[in-house]
């Protein structure tokens, strides 16, 4: 019943401190870049992925706001929120709108403006991704929740903190070649081991930086663009699933059951297995999340995620290349925008536009965007025929 | 390409001060009531309409939170935000998910918890529906923006403030028979004229009260329920459109162009004209909005909306019955929930379950939910075969 859809335009801003721009301006830059890339000046719908605008910019109703700002006055427009998974959730809403036939073009933009609120307001706002009554209200910040998960993981599966180093080292190395990345700085094993503590055992080099930024994609029916001269990136799988917000409510706090549910559905839709995935932009908000995501998606056995990092299998020429443009760790994590950055970056890989960190012959790519500590997980699989 | 969908379950909580319940509990009551009404215990998706939870409850990621709370652990779930239009936008997302064939059942719930933040926090949070940079930052509260619109309307179209009285009198009279209404109190013309001023010319009886509440609907493919013994309420039209956030940016600040755009599309989808609409739940956040909505939807000429109220044509047996369960004015306006309340109430009318304010032989009903001062407008047309 659904028709195949394609991404014909991508756009992004640098992830940075953008003190001089309001949220509409940041979003607008990415939308206009994506429309330019798609050589289109119209759309039928705009889906905005954003988590924090009410709290940090005192601005809701972003759909109408951004539509007007970019010259799309009047189009259908809404904001989609699923904490740090808002970006991919917005892309999924745009995909559904086009694949259903309701629209012939939809734009999804993820945007976040976080810098002004740092450190107190933003930390408090980010805690709203967790369970306000049973986690945040007990004084748990978002990083503290992830620290408890990592501590337990180290205990149960007998890893040492240093075994996670390559997740961060790889991300920083890749970001050196991404002009839009927040951090351009390689890091060493020694620096990782000595980084100052944030919430033990998570140190500064386990944690992704916040930032201001936006990324956008233009979604259309694939059938209309089959004869374009550019490589056509199509959506082969799109699925979303949820888990409890509070980590303590889960049968196994070290297993991302929402990731497993959404990725299984996406694999099935795309007719692929983990072995077919050439590049995987995962949600490395904290290094522990890379391990959990690799396991839930079938790239590593339970408790064995760090092995792929230790064996250097996660670089652009490794067995499963991840965070090829820097990931959340080094490209940066403007929370509601991150899921769209991931999809833009995989599209770059599939088009062969990823420069120094290009994955050779990348034909099938995957993204996984996580809201909360595994509560909302959205997986996309993209393909290209070149 | 799209298949017809139906509403087979409706649920709502009273709109009230619900100090003893968290936002998940309020939403859960409505969802479970709707599932009970539908005699279903599962769904494939949950779409939450909400505007303020981050600001007033320090809680985002409501999709996963509420899904878990009502026993739907794991299902796809997101929050949809379009200011006070969030509720209908969430219903529309659920409709698209089912009409596209992506899901065979989706639940939409609108929920808002506003009382705890009153008066300062909630007033500030509501201002995020307006343009933060060019309206709210200048000190304009949301009611102040509407007051400017009403003042200009009185000036341009030569009405007196008292000419709007029947909008509020009718809403209060109808709410007397709605057990879920916030206010159970008839009001007189004298009381309306003498009510204390909020932001001139809007007085207390022009303005809708805030409140805590939730409403929910269960959406399924109509074809599967054609032979149910209950009257089957189907979605005949669903459309959404936007305008500038800032009222001062519009060519005509007294014309809801987003209402016109969305209602024209909905009329066309449903194959109806204004004369076919038996009941219309409009967005009377302020009495001026009733007039503007009636005009944009073709029930009155430009500038002539108050005439329908003066002529007593808006009651349950009038030419165009509006706010038949109390409307925003008296049922109450828990902002992100309001759009779902409207749809639940029209479903009650079409099923013949509206009691003392039943519109005789109601077969086609319409709802219109507005986010911001006309910035995001979502229109639905419902039909029943009885």
């Amino acid at each position: 019943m659904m028709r195949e859809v394609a991404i014909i335009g991508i756009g992004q801003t640098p992830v940075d401190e953008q003190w001089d721009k309001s949220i509409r301006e940041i979003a607008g830059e990415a939308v206009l870049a994506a429309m330019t890339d798609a050589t289109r000046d119209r759309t039928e719908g705009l889906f905005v992925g954003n988590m924090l605008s009410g709290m940090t910019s005192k601005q809701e109703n972003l759909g109408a706001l951004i539509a007007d700002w970019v010259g799309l006055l009047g189009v259908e427009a809404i904001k989609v929120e699923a904490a740090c998974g808002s970006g991919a959730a917005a892309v999924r809403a745009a995909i559904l709108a086009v694949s259903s036939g309701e629209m012939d073009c939809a734009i999804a933009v993820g945007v976040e403006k976080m810098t002004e609120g740092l450190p107190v307001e933003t930390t408090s706002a980010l805690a709203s991704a967790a369970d306000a009554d049973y986690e945040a209200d007990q004084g748990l910040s978002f990083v503290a929740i992830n620290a408890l998960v990592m501590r337990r993981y180290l205990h149960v599966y007998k890893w040492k903190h240093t075994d996670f180093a390559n997740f961060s080292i790889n991300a920083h190395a890749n970001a050196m070649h991404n002009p839009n990345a927040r951090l351009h700085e390689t890091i060493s094993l020694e620096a990782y081991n000595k980084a100052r503590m944030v919430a033990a055992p998570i140190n500064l080099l386990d944690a992704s930086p916040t930032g201001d930024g936006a990324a956008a994609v233009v979604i259309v029916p694939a059938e209309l663009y089959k004869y374009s001269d550019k490589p056509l990136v199509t959506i082969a799988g799109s699925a979303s699933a949820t888990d409890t917000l509070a980590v303590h409510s889960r049968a196994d706090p070290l297993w991302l059951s929402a990731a497993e549910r959404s990725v299984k559905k996406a694999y099935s839709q795309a007719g692929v297995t983990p072995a077919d995935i050439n590049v995987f932009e995962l949600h490395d908000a904290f290094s522990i999340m890379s391990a959990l995501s690799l396991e839930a998606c079938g790239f590593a056995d339970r408790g064995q995620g760090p092995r792929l990092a230790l064996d250097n299998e996660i670089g652009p020429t490794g067995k499963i290349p991840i965070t090829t443009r820097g990931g959340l760790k080094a490209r940066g994590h403007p929370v509601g925008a991150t899921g769209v950055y991931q999809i833009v970056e995989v599209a770059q890989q599939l088009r062969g536009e990823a420069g120094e960190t290009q994955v050779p012959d990348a034909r099938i790519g995957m993204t996984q965007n996580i809201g909360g500590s595994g509560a909302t997980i959205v997986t996309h699989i993209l393909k290209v025929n070149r």
Side-chain angles (χ1 to χ4, degrees), chain A:
Chain A
M1 183 167 248
M2 311 278 279
R3 58 182 175 176
E4 190 184 31
V5 303
I7 295 174
I8 58 156
I10 56 177
Q12 57 183 314
T13 74
V15 180
D16 209 340
E17 297 184 11
Q18 305 201 23
W19 293 92
D20 55 334
K21 291 176 189 157
S22 76
I23 195 164
R24 85 186 81 192
E25 292 172 286
I26 298 170
E29 276 184 39
V31 171
L32 294 172
M35 291 172 79
T36 302
D37 184 48
T39 59
R40 278 192 76 107
D41 60 7
R42 284 184 302 173
T43 182
E44 289 173 60
L46 178 69
F47 297 84
V48 179
N50 171 269
M51 175 182 177
L52 303 172
S53 70
M55 293 179 270
T56 59
S57 299
K58 304 282 177 212
Q59 182 69 73
E60 291 291 357
N61 223 351
L62 287 186
L65 183 82
I66 296 167
D68 175 30
W69 179 252
V70 297
L72 297 170
L73 183 67
V75 300
E76 174 164 7
I78 55 168
K79 163 173 160 175
V80 173
E81 190 277 329
C84 306
S86 301
V91 174
R92 179 158 161 70
I95 289 169
L96 276 186
V98 176
S99 66
S100 66
E102 179 75 5
M103 299 178 188
D104 281 331
C105 181
I107 295 176
V109 58
V111 62
E112 208 71 71
K113 185 163 166 60
M114 307 171 75
T115 307
E116 276 173 46
L118 285 173
V120 177
E121 237 180 77
T122 302
T123 302
S124 158
L126 286 171
S128 69
D131 191 311
D133 298 336
Y134 299 106
E135 290 180 325
D137 213 41
Q138 314 309 318
L140 278 171
S141 68
F142 199 67
V143 57
I145 293 168
N146 283 273
L148 292 173
V149 172
M150 189 174 191
R151 183 179 286 282
R152 181 162 179 84
Y153 189 91
L154 297 180
H155 171 72
V156 170
Y157 295 115
K158 315 291 178 207
W159 294 99
K160 293 191 289 290
H161 174 262
T162 190
D163 297 331
F164 288 74
N166 268 352
F167 286 124
S168 300
I169 292 169
N170 172 60
H172 276 261
N174 292 338
M176 293 298 286
H177 308 290
N178 178 0
N180 293 308
R182 178 88 157 98
L183 303 174
H184 292 114
E185 188 186 357
T186 54
I187 61 169
S188 64
L189 177 60
E190 195 188 0
Y192 176 83
N193 289 335
K194 286 186 176 173
R196 73 181 164 80
M197 201 52 76
V198 178
I202 290 179
N203 73 25
L204 196 65
L205 293 181
D206 288 304
S208 56
T210 62
D212 308 327
V217 292
V218 179
I219 309 276
V220 295
E223 62 203 358
L224 302 181
Y225 291 83
K226 283 260 152 89
Y227 306 103
S228 155
D229 44 2
K230 270 201 277 194
L232 188 66
V233 175
T234 56
I235 306 290
S238 172
S240 180
T242 56
D243 200 346
T244 65
L245 249 64
V247 174
H248 60 245
S249 297
R250 298 178 194 159
D252 181 353
L254 302 181
W255 186 249
L256 295 178
S257 64
E260 184 186 17
R261 263 192 291 271
S262 77
V263 83
K264 276 189 175 168
K265 203 166 168 185
Y267 284 150
S268 157
Q269 290 167 351
V272 301
T273 69
D276 297 314
I277 304 296
N278 303 130
V279 53
F280 178 24
E281 290 300 330
L282 51 66
H283 193 93
D284 59 323
F286 303 98
S287 55
I288 177 66
M289 295 307 287
S290 296
L292 297 185
S293 193
L294 286 166
E295 294 168 23
C297 296
F299 297 103
D301 288 338
R302 197 176 281 242
Q304 297 305 308
R307 173 59 51 203
L308 287 162
L310 281 170
D311 291 350
N312 282 319
E313 292 290 10
I314 58 173
T317 59
K319 194 173 143 198
I320 180 63
I322 63 172
T323 60
T324 63
R325 307 293 283 154
L328 282 62
K329 178 68 198 79
R331 176 241 297 127
H333 185 24
V335 293
T338 288
V340 190
Y341 274 99
Q342 294 176 317
I343 289 167
V344 164
E345 290 162 356
V346 165
Q348 288 180 318
Q349 286 285 0
L350 299 186
R351 286 177 174 189
E353 297 172 358
E356 295 87 340
T357 57
Q358 178 67 47
V359 172
D361 199 31
R363 288 170 182 276
I364 303 179
M366 185 160 83
T367 63
Q368 188 164 78
N369 189 200
I370 303 185
S373 305
T376 309
I377 305 194
V378 187
T379 307
H380 282 99
I381 297 176
L382 282 61
K383 284 187 179 177
V384 71
N385 287 317
R386 267 189 293 125

